[in-house]
Amino acid sequence: MTQHVTYESTALAPPAAVDTTEETAAEIARPSGPAAAVVLAAGLASFTLGLLSVLTAVSPSISSALTLSDRVGDLSGVTTATVAVYVASWGALAVWWRRSDPPLMRIAGVAAALIALGLLGTFPPFFNAL
Amino acid sequence: MHLTNREMVALVHGLLIGGPFLLAFAGGLVALSGLRAEYLTTEGIRDRVRQLRLGTTAMAAMGWAIVFTGTWVLLPWYREDSPDSPRSVLLSDSSTRQWHEFADVWKTHVAFMAPILATTAAALVLYYGKALARDRGLRNLVLGLFLGAFAIASVAALLGSLIARAAPLR
């Protein structure tokens, strides 16, 4: 008795070493610009969050200017500005880089440094020591 | 047994949205790290990418929901100018001051990085889709963003639960 095994069965199908569908080819060929835009925007927003956290801690006038809501305090302005920087820089960079291929990994490195600085800026022992 | 309105909102913020948000990271990490062309069939990659697109987008939305409810709904109650607000209670005793001055201040600020990183990871998954299965560098970038969001959300959740234990919101 011969048992026929066909690769129609997903459980037995071989690994897809090469997927040649047009959809995947298009995804691979996409320019890195739009991806670099959102990655750098995340770095810029994180840095803004850290910077404004430091500035509100050391300057009562900046803290007051960023107090959009008395019930929330200066965090209302700090976080609103952070979200605004994220959305605006993402949008602007995405338009600017929409067809270009900036080096994504290098931009990710810059974003990682900005995120690390942002983390440091939000850390109370850091801004209390200034 | 009775829960006040504020306790209900705190539960929704921390448990009903925050719990699934943190749990979903585990699924996302497994799905992302296993998204390799050499391990999966074409159909498997398609399925995994569809799940990742849905999952990461939902997680980004949950992340924003958590920080917005925390900042605009819970924080005003926490910092109310009354002697029994959690902030007043914590600041009234030198042994609990740090729960506000360090833990709450850090948590409320740093937490905003979690949805930013989760949204960035979701945007990359949506943009690159199946290409993530064959590009290790891209996959590692998304994993890094995902892990960063998870680490920050975990710290914020841990501090939040400890602060709530020291001075519950009622």
Side-chain angles (χ1 to χ4, degrees), chain B residues 89-103:
Chain B
V89 169
L90 294 175
L91 290 176
S92 66
D93 185 338
S94 60
S95 69
T96 58
R97 276 188 93 81
Q98 283 298 310
W99 284 118
H100 171 72
E101 291 179 349
F102 169 73

Side-chain angles (χ1 to χ4, degrees), chain B residues 71-149:
Chain B
T71 303
W72 293 95
V73 182
L74 293 171
L75 186 61
W77 293 337
Y78 168 88
R79 64 194 300 275
E80 247 173 11
D81 196 13
S82 69
D84 56 350
S85 73
R87 185 177 72 162
S88 303
V89 169
L90 294 175
L91 290 176
S92 66
D93 185 338
S94 60
S95 69
T96 58
R97 276 188 93 81
Q98 283 298 310
W99 284 118
H100 171 72
E101 291 179 349
F102 169 73
D104 189 73
V105 171
W106 192 33
K107 170 190 101 90
T108 50
H109 284 74
V110 81
F112 262 82
M113 282 192 193
I116 288 172
L117 299 182
T119 302
T120 305
L124 293 182
V125 170
L126 289 171
Y127 184 65
Y128 282 113
K130 287 185 279 185
L132 290 168
R134 61 196 68 250
D135 189 326
R136 179 185 288 221
L138 272 181
R139 204 166 52 238
N140 285 344
L141 174 58
V142 178
L143 270 170
L145 288 162
F146 219 61
L147 280 171

